[in-house]
Amino acid sequence: MTTPFAKPENALKRAEELLNVGQKQEAWDTIHRLITSRRYRAWTKTLERIMFKYIELCVEMRKGAKDALNQYRIMCQQVNVSSLEEVIKHFMHLSTDRAELARSQADALEEALDVDDLEAHRRPEDLMLSYVSGQKGKDRSDRELVTPWFKFLWETYRTVLEILRNNSKLEALYAMTAHRAFQFCKQYKRTTEFRRLCEIIRNHLVNLNKYRDQRDRPDLSAPESLQLYLDTRFEQLKIATELELWQEAFRSVEDIHGLMCMVKKQPKPSLLVVYYAKLTEIFWMSSGHLYHAYAWLKLFSLQKSFNKNLTQKDLQLIASSVVLAALSVPPYDHGHGTSHMEQENEKERNLRMANLIGFSLDPKLEGREVLSRSSLLSELVSKGILSCVMPEVKDLYHLLEHEFLPLDLASKVQPLLTKISKIGGKLSSASSLPEVQLSQYVPALEKLAALRLLKQVSQVYQAMKIDSLCKMVPFFEFSFLEKISMDAVKYNFLSLKIDHIKGAVVFGSLDIEADGSRDQLTIFAELLNKSRAMIHPPKAKASKLGLVLPGLSETVEKEHKRLLARKSIIEKRKEEQERLLLEMEREEESKRLKLQKLTEEAEQKRLASECEQRKNQRILRDIEERELEEAQALLLEAEKRSKKKGKKPVIEGEKVTKRTLMVLAQSEQLRERQEMEKKLQKLAKTMDYFERAKREEAAPLIESAFQHRLVEEKVLHEHEQLQEVELSRQRHDGDLKEKNRLARMLEHKIRFQDKVMNRRQTEYDRLKTEIAERINHILQERRQEMEIKRKMLFYLKSEEQRLKKLHEEEEARKHEEVEKQKKEAAERQAKLDEIAEKQRRREQELEERERMRREAILGRSNEGPVRPSDLNGGGCQSDSGTAAAPEAAAAAAATTAAPSTGKYVPKFKQRLDNSGQAPAPDSDRWGNGRSDDRRPTYGFGGGGSGSRSSWSSSRR
């Protein structure tokens, strides 16, 4: 349904206006349409305020808010989930307050009705109703006031749990709601609602594990989520035991165990203590004494291992409970003589209970062989629990399990049971258990003592009088003793018959070959041997082996050491083999898990694709069915309209398609709409004429009524004026009389007034003087403070200026030093550049001299061979630069004067030219005609070093 409001604020304002005039239902409808509308999808703060107002209206009117809360959850799930949390908390808070208020009103009503004289405080109809209905006043008040609000509060809890069941961001709120629902059931003893609540929470967990691909699903592998779910289940277990719903408590235990197996992680020891403590109560109430004893053993192990602050007295009480619980187990197997199907069921039940208790059993073995009374007692002895128990419990254990006293067993057990029944009470704060009471085991122990006595008597006597047997067993009457004896006979623990005619109990045969007789003789022989050894102890005889074999002790010692070493080696090999097997199992398990994970992923993908395909097909099928239904509905409407108007139907269903049918239906609707509009226009014109006629007839009547009312109001006004004048005259006369009466006291009043004013003026002057002095004193102090402050500010400012000036001088000095260093560096660089320039010029001069010297040498070679003296002289002259200049010039002229024909001439022909002189050297060979002067030239004497300097200078 679309909402007519353009903004949510308008809807909120409209709802408040409706509330102000008392229209709650209309206000609720307005807000409900706004929240459930698809137009507003984005969360805003205004929507939160609207939701708060909607929740208040729902609580006040006791209406459900599930649809609105679902829509609001969609709005703020990804934007502001804390807003949803606040809204839900407000919802539960208001519901709880209203339920408590209704409860208090009902209690107050009951207290008001609880009086002595019923006839004086109750109406006759109330008395008659109470006599006829047969109900008390409290029942009726609860049904009328409390029950509706309790129903609404219960629905509130269910709604909130349903909304938060798969929300990972609000797990804490889900747990808090569950806890509050549990407390509600506990406080008001709502057992039916508690069972439904447990089933709801259980279904939520099942669906959570079933649909693991949801978007906001909680992750149970996270420690925080696991702790919240475990806390909720433990609270459920506690409330179930407090309400004495033992079947639901056992289901809660199974839920906790399933949750622990699901995540494969043990909870905290404190929670495990609560778990096993509740298990002991559940098994005891269900008469599962064996499982009760095993649960106590687990509880004792946990307390001893993890609770270091446990006192010795508390540990002794818990250990005594473990031993007494083990002794309370019946000494015979209930599975004897049962069918195969019953044995299989018992085996499965033992496996299930062992898993709950925390014992791992092999399903191939018999469960009752592992979980049995004998194995439990042997485990108590091996773990040393008997050393921690009380002396009475230890004596009772030895009497019932190890002593053979067929005549005195019950008489010796009875005082011990009396002492044990008085032991127990609350434990210290260090223990996680609230209290331990040993008196609950007394009936089971009395039954065990009676069975032990019957068993021992059957081994000694063949028959016994019933009266004698009753005297030996002072715990029970013979009827109860007969009942437990028949149970023992049924499960093959005893063999006896009761002859009521003779008043005797006949036990089984005591032949010489009987097992009982053999055991009795064996016990008798052992006791005789012990007695003889105590009376005549044997003397120690000297060993003759030491004389015969002197090295026997050393040999035995060596052999013993060798066997010990071999044993240690075997154990190490076993450990190594076990470690290897464990590693192989781990690898296989990891491979199996990986393969299983891949298989599950593939299966999930396949299921998702199939689900998507089915969804698309279903959507297409729904669309087709909806279109077909719409077409059929249009066809039926067209047929009805045609029948009403007496027309023949214009449509034949077999020849017309769905599209044609829809077009014809739409055209028919359009035609009807046009006809309806024409009728409405005609009706509007008729109504307009009718309204105009009514107004024309009513106009003179209204005018006459108005004139009549004017006359009446004028008369009324004149009458009221006269009354007002009379009242004013009377008030004036009264005031004059009062003035004359009070005039004689005027002089006394003036004297008293002057006296009071003088005293107040004096006090005012004194206070004014004191205030002026105080103000002057304060002003003087403030002037002094301001003067001190001014001087201090002046000093601080002067000091700051001085420091600033010093800082500026230091900066200027540093700047001057930097400039000076830069200037010196620039001068130094200029000197270096000048020296480098002089060096370069000198090298150029040397290179030029060397070049001229080479040209001079080459010019002489044309005239004849060069003498060594000439070479030496040339070398010296190259240094002076004066003697070889004409020769070099002549050689250069000869070279330039040589004809250049542009044709290749061999060297032997160049030697035989017309002038008879050798040809000029090749310019390319010596580099005279090349533009590239960077190639090094090799001269003679000092010219070589100059050329090398020139080459290195050009490289730089």
Side-chain angles (χ1 to χ4, degrees):
M1 184 184 295
T2 58
T3 177
F5 301 104
K7 294 182 179 180
E9 295 85 350
N10 300 336
L12 181 59
K13 190 181 298 183
R14 176 61 177 168
E16 291 176 351
E17 291 174 354
L18 291 171
L19 287 175
N20 292 332
V21 297
Q23 297 181 1
K24 296 181 181 179
Q25 182 64 39
E26 288 75 7
W28 184 86
D29 291 337
T30 301
I31 301 179
H32 184 75
R33 287 199 302 270
L34 176 73
I35 294 173
T36 56
S37 175
R38 297 186 178 182
R39 180 176 181 179
Y40 305 104
R41 288 291 188 180
W43 179 87
T44 59
K45 192 66 177 178
T46 306
L47 284 175
E48 183 178 359
R49 290 191 286 109
I50 293 172
M51 198 65 193
F52 275 111
K53 178 62 71 176
Y54 179 77
I55 290 298
E56 293 173 1
L57 286 173
C58 288
V59 173
E60 190 170 356
M61 300 172 66
R62 289 205 299 264
K63 284 182 173 291
K66 185 175 181 180
D67 297 337
L69 286 174
N70 272 322
Q71 189 68 23
Y72 192 68
R73 176 178 60 84
I74 296 171
M75 291 180 190
C76 58
Q77 177 66 35
Q78 305 298 330
V79 181
N80 189 5
V81 75
S82 59
S83 176
L84 177 63
E85 182 178 3
E86 294 298 327
V87 169
I88 290 176
K89 286 182 178 179
H90 186 62
F91 187 29
M92 291 194 295
H93 177 69
L94 290 178
S95 302
T96 307
D97 289 347
R98 292 304 295 267
E100 291 293 335
L101 180 60
R103 183 73 178 182
S104 61
Q105 289 176 355
D107 294 340
L109 183 61
E110 178 64 21
E111 291 176 0
L113 293 176
D114 189 11
V115 294
D116 296 333
D117 191 0
L118 294 177
E119 295 180 359
H121 294 275
R122 297 183 67 180
R123 297 177 298 174
E125 52 268 25
D126 294 336
L127 290 173
M128 187 178 296
L129 179 63
S130 63
Y131 294 148
V132 172
S133 62
Q135 295 179 352
K136 296 182 180 180
K138 180 173 178 56
D139 297 337
R140 288 198 303 273
S141 62
D142 287 347
R143 188 175 64 251
E144 294 173 0
L145 297 176
V146 181
T147 304
W149 283 109
F150 277 7
K151 288 182 179 179
F152 179 73
L153 182 58
W154 169 246
E155 289 298 327
T156 299
Y157 287 140
R158 290 191 59 176
T159 300
V160 173
L161 290 174
E162 187 68 25
I163 289 171
L164 301 177
R165 59 190 176 91
N166 288 333
N167 200 324
S168 59
K169 298 179 181 179
L170 295 177
E171 292 175 341
L173 184 59
Y174 178 83
M176 185 194 74
T177 306
H179 282 248
R180 293 182 67 172
F182 289 142
Q183 292 300 323
F184 165 78
C185 297
K186 173 188 173 184
Q187 183 178 0
Y188 301 111
K189 307 296 182 183
R190 310 302 303 178
T191 56
T192 306
E193 284 77 10
F194 180 77
R195 292 191 186 95
R196 291 174 183 170
L197 180 62
C198 296
E199 193 65 30
I200 288 169
I201 295 177
R202 195 173 293 118
N203 290 333
H204 288 176
L205 184 60
V206 170
N207 293 329
L208 186 65
N209 295 322
K210 186 177 180 181
Y211 303 105
R212 297 185 177 181
D213 54 347
Q214 291 183 354
R215 182 175 183 181
D216 297 320
R217 170 187 171 274
D219 186 11
L220 292 179
S221 60
E224 296 82 4
S225 302
L226 175 62
Q227 190 62 37
L228 287 173
Y229 275 84
L230 281 176
D231 290 342
T232 304
R233 267 51 182 193
F234 275 104
E235 184 68 18
Q236 174 182 336
L237 177 60
K238 290 179 184 178
I239 302 301
T241 54
E242 290 177 4
L243 293 176
E244 297 183 356
L245 299 174
W246 303 110
Q247 188 174 4
E248 198 61 46
F250 184 73
R251 290 180 181 176
S252 302
V253 168
E254 288 185 328
D255 292 342
I256 295 172
H257 182 262
L259 198 60
M260 291 190 292
C261 294
M262 188 186 305
V263 297
K264 297 180 180 180
K265 184 178 180 181
Q266 288 291 336
K268 296 178 181 178
S270 59
L271 295 179
L272 284 178
V273 167
V274 177
Y275 174 79
Y276 287 113
K278 297 302 179 182
L279 266 181
T280 57
E281 296 181 21
I282 294 169
F283 287 140
W284 183 257
M285 296 304 298
S286 62
S287 300
H289 296 89
L290 179 62
Y291 308 127
H292 171 78
Y294 271 104
W296 261 116
L297 179 59
K298 268 289 186 182
L299 186 58
F300 174 78
S301 302
L302 279 172
Q303 289 282 355
K304 191 175 181 181
S305 301
F306 296 101
N307 197 347
K308 304 301 180 184
N309 299 324
L310 197 66
T311 61
Q312 186 64 27
K313 183 179 179 182
D314 296 343
L315 187 65
Q316 198 174 25
L317 271 175
I318 297 173
S320 301
S321 300
V322 175
V323 175
L324 293 180
L327 291 176
S328 301
V329 180
Y332 46 80
D333 184 14
H334 288 276
H336 181 77
T338 57
S339 63
H340 177 70
M341 183 63 69
E342 292 177 352
Q343 289 180 359
E344 288 296 326
N345 293 335
E346 184 67 20
K347 180 180 178 181
E348 184 179 356
R349 182 169 180 266
N350 286 339
L351 288 174
R352 183 181 173 189
M353 297 301 143
N355 290 329
L356 288 179
I357 299 170
F359 287 88
S360 58
L361 298 182
D362 189 0
K364 297 180 181 179
L365 299 176
E366 289 292 335
R368 60 176 179 269
E369 294 178 359
V370 180
L371 294 182
S372 63
R373 187 176 187 273
S374 58
S375 61
L376 177 60
L377 291 175
S378 62
E379 190 171 359
L380 295 182
V381 175
S382 63
K383 290 186 176 180
I385 298 178
L386 289 174
S387 61
C388 303
V389 301
M390 296 180 175
E392 295 85 358
V393 178
K394 186 181 290 186
D395 296 341
L396 182 65
Y397 171 77
H398 286 292
L399 278 175
L400 294 176
E401 297 298 325
H402 299 292
E403 297 294 337
F404 185 79
L405 301 169
L407 300 178
D408 302 332
L409 181 63
S411 61
K412 291 186 177 181
V413 166
Q414 187 174 11
L416 293 177
L417 292 179
T418 304
K419 293 180 181 179
I420 289 172
S421 63
K422 298 177 181 179
I423 299 174
K426 294 185 178 180
L427 302 181
S428 62
S429 58
S431 175
S432 301
L433 295 174
E435 62 178 357
V436 173
Q437 296 291 342
L438 302 183
S439 58
Q440 62 177 346
Y441 300 108
V442 171
L445 293 173
E446 290 177 350
K447 182 179 177 181
L448 175 66
L451 290 174
R452 289 294 186 195
L453 187 142
L454 288 173
K455 183 72 174 177
Q456 293 177 8
V457 167
S458 67
Q459 294 175 1
V460 176
Y461 296 97
Q462 187 175 3
M464 180 176 285
K465 290 289 184 180
I466 292 178
D467 298 336
S468 301
L469 188 61
C470 290
K471 292 178 182 178
M472 293 168 59
V473 185
F475 310 132
F476 310 116
E477 296 179 356
F478 184 73
S479 59
F480 187 77
L481 190 63
E482 182 181 6
K483 182 179 179 181
I484 62 175
S485 302
M486 291 303 103
D487 289 339
V489 171
K490 177 182 177 181
Y491 295 114
N492 201 24
F493 182 72
L494 291 175
S495 177
L496 58 86
K497 295 180 181 179
I498 299 175
D499 193 347
H500 287 280
I501 298 176
K502 296 180 179 179
V505 177
V506 181
F507 298 101
S509 61
L510 296 175
D511 296 335
I512 194 65
E513 296 298 327
D515 294 337
S517 300
R518 284 205 305 270
D519 294 342
Q520 181 62 29
L521 292 175
T522 303
I523 293 170
F524 182 67
E526 289 178 356
L527 292 175
L528 286 178
N529 285 331
K530 289 180 182 178
S531 303
R532 185 175 61 82
M534 292 173 64
I535 297 171
H536 302 289
K539 297 180 180 179
K541 296 181 180 180
S543 178
K544 296 180 181 180
L545 291 175
L547 300 175
V548 178
L549 299 173
L552 182 60
S553 61
E554 296 180 359
T555 305
V556 170
E557 185 69 24
K558 290 180 181 179
E559 187 67 19
H560 180 64
K561 291 181 179 178
R562 187 181 66 80
L563 290 176
L564 289 176
R566 183 172 179 271
K567 183 179 178 182
S568 64
I569 292 170
I570 291 171
E571 289 179 353
K572 288 181 180 179
R573 288 178 179 175
K574 286 182 178 180
E575 290 176 357
E576 184 68 21
Q577 188 176 5
E578 290 177 357
R579 187 181 62 80
L580 293 175
L581 289 174
L582 185 60
E583 289 180 356
M584 291 174 63
E585 288 178 358
R586 288 177 180 173
E587 291 178 358
E588 291 177 358
E589 183 68 18
S590 62
K591 291 179 182 178
R592 187 184 65 79
L593 290 175
K594 289 180 181 177
L595 182 60
Q596 183 179 359
K597 186 177 180 181
L598 293 174
T599 307
E600 290 179 355
E601 290 178 355
E603 184 67 18
Q604 289 178 358
K605 291 180 180 178
R606 185 183 65 80
L607 292 175
S609 62
E610 291 180 358
C611 182
E612 189 68 23
Q613 291 177 1
R614 288 195 299 270
K615 185 178 179 181
N616 295 333
Q617 293 175 1
R618 186 173 65 253
I619 291 171
L620 294 175
R621 189 166 57 253
D622 292 342
I623 292 172
E624 292 177 357
E625 291 177 356
R626 193 180 298 112
E627 290 180 354
L628 185 58
E629 290 176 358
E630 291 176 357
Q632 292 177 355
L634 292 174
L635 178 61
L636 292 174
E637 286 186 20
E639 290 179 354
K640 289 179 181 178
R641 285 193 295 269
S642 62
K643 288 179 180 179
K644 287 181 180 179
K645 296 180 180 180
K647 297 180 181 180
K648 295 182 180 180
V650 295
I651 300 171
E652 295 180 2
E654 297 179 357
K655 299 180 181 179
V656 180
T657 61
K658 180 175 66 178
R659 180 66 181 172
T660 307
L661 186 64
M662 293 180 69
V663 171
L664 291 173
Q666 290 176 358
S667 62
E668 184 68 20
Q669 288 181 356
L670 181 61
R671 185 181 59 77
E672 291 180 356
R673 192 180 298 113
Q674 291 175 356
E675 292 179 357
M676 182 61 68
E677 288 178 356
K678 290 179 181 178
K679 289 180 181 179
L680 289 174
Q681 289 177 1
K682 185 178 180 181
L683 180 62
K685 188 178 291 185
T686 305
M687 293 297 294
D688 189 12
Y689 292 155
F690 181 67
E691 186 67 25
R692 187 181 299 111
K694 285 198 302 181
R695 291 186 181 182
E696 288 177 356
E697 292 292 331
L701 298 176
I702 292 172
E703 182 64 26
S704 63
F706 178 69
Q707 295 298 331
H708 182 67
R709 186 173 180 181
L710 282 178
V711 172
E712 290 179 353
E713 287 182 354
K714 183 177 180 181
V715 173
L716 180 62
H717 176 68
E718 291 176 355
H719 181 65
E720 289 178 353
Q721 286 289 98
L722 293 173
Q723 288 182 353
E724 185 67 25
V725 170
E726 185 65 26
L727 289 174
S728 298
R729 186 180 295 107
Q730 291 176 4
R731 282 198 296 269
H732 179 68
D733 295 339
D735 292 342
L736 288 175
K737 291 178 181 179
E738 187 70 17
K739 180 180 178 182
N740 295 328
R741 189 177 67 84
L742 297 175
R744 57 191 180 84
M745 293 183 286
L746 181 61
E747 183 179 356
H748 299 284
K749 176 252 183 187
I750 292 172
R751 286 203 302 268
F752 179 73
Q753 183 178 355
D754 294 339
K755 184 178 178 180
V756 172
M757 291 301 294
N758 292 332
R759 187 172 67 250
R760 290 183 179 177
Q761 184 66 33
T762 305
E763 184 68 20
Y764 171 74
D765 294 340
R766 184 181 62 80
L767 292 176
K768 184 177 180 181
T769 306
E770 292 179 358
I771 291 171
E773 291 176 357
R774 193 181 303 115
I775 290 172
N776 292 331
H777 181 67
I778 293 171
L779 290 175
Q780 186 65 24
E781 289 180 353
R782 289 185 179 177
R783 288 193 192 97
Q784 292 177 1
E785 291 177 359
M786 291 178 65
E787 184 67 22
I788 293 169
K789 187 176 181 181
R790 184 183 61 78
K791 290 180 179 180
M792 182 60 69
L793 291 174
F794 178 75
Y795 171 74
L796 293 175
K797 187 174 181 181
S798 302
E799 188 67 18
E800 185 178 357
Q801 290 178 355
R802 186 181 65 82
L803 293 175
K804 184 176 180 182
K805 186 176 180 182
L806 290 175
H807 182 68
E808 290 177 354
E809 291 176 355
E810 183 67 20
E811 290 292 331
R813 186 180 60 77
K814 289 182 180 179
H815 183 68
E816 289 177 358
E817 290 180 357
V818 171
E819 292 294 333
K820 186 177 179 182
Q821 290 177 0
K822 288 183 179 179
K823 187 175 180 181
E824 291 177 354
E827 291 176 355
R828 192 182 302 112
Q829 185 66 29
K831 290 180 180 180
L832 292 175
D833 293 341
E834 185 179 356
I835 293 170
E837 182 65 23
K838 290 180 180 180
Q839 181 69 22
R840 187 178 61 78
R841 289 177 182 175
R842 188 180 299 113
E843 289 176 355
Q844 287 180 357
E845 290 177 358
L846 291 174
E847 187 178 355
E848 184 66 23
R849 290 177 184 175
E850 180 64 21
R851 186 179 62 79
M852 293 174 67
R853 187 181 67 80
R854 285 199 307 271
E855 290 176 356
I857 290 171
L858 290 174
R860 274 194 223 105
S861 64
N862 293 330
E863 296 177 0
V866 180
R867 293 188 300 270
S869 60
D870 294 336
L871 290 174
N872 295 333
C876 297
Q877 288 169 4
S878 66
D879 292 335
S880 61
T882 55
E887 295 178 359
T895 303
T896 54
S900 179
T901 59
K903 181 180 178 181
Y904 176 74
V905 180
K907 290 184 178 181
F908 68 92
K909 288 186 177 182
Q910 289 178 4
R911 295 191 187 100
L912 298 176
D913 55 357
N914 294 326
S915 61
Q917 295 178 354
D922 191 5
S923 62
D924 291 336
R925 182 177 180 183
W926 298 100
N928 291 333
R930 292 172 60 94
S931 62
D932 188 6
D933 295 337
R934 289 178 296 174
R935 187 177 66 180
T937 57
Y938 303 96
F940 299 94
S945 61
S947 64
R948 283 194 296 272
S949 300
S950 176
W951 170 252
S952 62
S953 176
S954 64
R955 287 290 299 270
R956 285 196 296 271

